[in-house]
Amino acid sequence: VFVLDLGESLFQFNGKTAGLFEKHKGGDVVSRIKGQRGGCDTWVIDESDPSEHDDAFWEHFGGKQDIAEGDAASDAEVEVKHRLFRLSDASGELTFELIAEGKLERSALDSDDVFIIDAQHTVFVWIGVGASEGEKGHAMAHAQQYITENHGGLPLSISLLQERGVSNDQYKRILGHA
């Protein structure tokens, strides 16, 4: 998937081997750019499904050309890198730090703190039963700031989880084991 930004118009080109995850992420990028500009014309060019806008896209490359075959990656092969952050005021000062990436373990969660889990499609705010009022009070603001700084302000959902209300199956999905 490629995005062609022409200022007043945007094209999203989906190659014939593009997976659903790639197409969705490309759409997110186009939506974010369009939102930042307060609107612009957008078109999706799908290599497998020609449309009336294809010529307008290809003219920016000197006309339509054959595209070399790439390695077809299935959505299952796309690595989603989960990230785990601790929000803690145990030192007397509120800190926000990355503590793990990749496949996360439940044992990394501490009942005395708040954790923010970036699962790429959703950000989870996990509140331990012993978390302080300060940690709880700043949790959502930190999650929103994190999305703005690390996902370009994309409209990701934030799910609030209380430690005692999360099932084992939910932990597996949230931590990247499902």
Side-chain angles (χ1 to χ4, degrees), residues 3-14:
V3 175
L4 175 61
D5 183 350
L6 299 172
E8 293 184 12
S9 58
L10 296 164
F11 289 90
Q12 176 181 333
F13 174 81
N14 298 331

Side-chain angles (χ1 to χ4, degrees), residues 15-120:
K16 61 184 170 188
T17 61
L20 186 60
F21 179 80
E22 294 167 306
K23 292 176 184 179
H24 178 71
K25 197 68 170 174
D28 286 346
V29 170
V30 168
S31 293
R32 185 189 66 198
I33 294 169
K34 184 177 180 177
Q36 288 173 342
R37 293 190 179 141
C40 62
D41 295 327
T42 60
W43 294 280
V44 175
I45 305 301
D46 195 323
E47 187 178 16
S48 300
D49 185 19
S51 77
E52 62 192 66
H53 302 290
D54 287 9
D55 290 340
F57 171 78
W58 287 111
E59 75 182 27
H60 297 285
F61 300 98
K64 185 164 179 162
Q65 315 248 338
D66 289 332
I67 299 173
E69 288 292 322
D71 294 332
S74 72
D75 286 334
E77 294 172 354
V78 175
E79 180 184 349
V80 175
K81 191 177 220 177
H82 287 67
R83 300 176 83 198
L84 179 65
F85 296 86
R86 178 191 310 263
L87 182 64
S88 178
D89 60 8
S91 67
E93 190 174 310
L94 191 64
T95 60
F96 182 69
E97 64 179 325
L98 174 68
I99 62 167
E101 287 185 280
K103 199 174 218 181
L104 307 175
E105 298 299 326
R106 187 174 177 179
S107 60
L109 301 172
D110 179 348
S111 295
D112 291 333
D113 290 316
V114 166
F115 290 84
I116 294 177
I117 304 161
D118 180 356
Q120 297 299 304

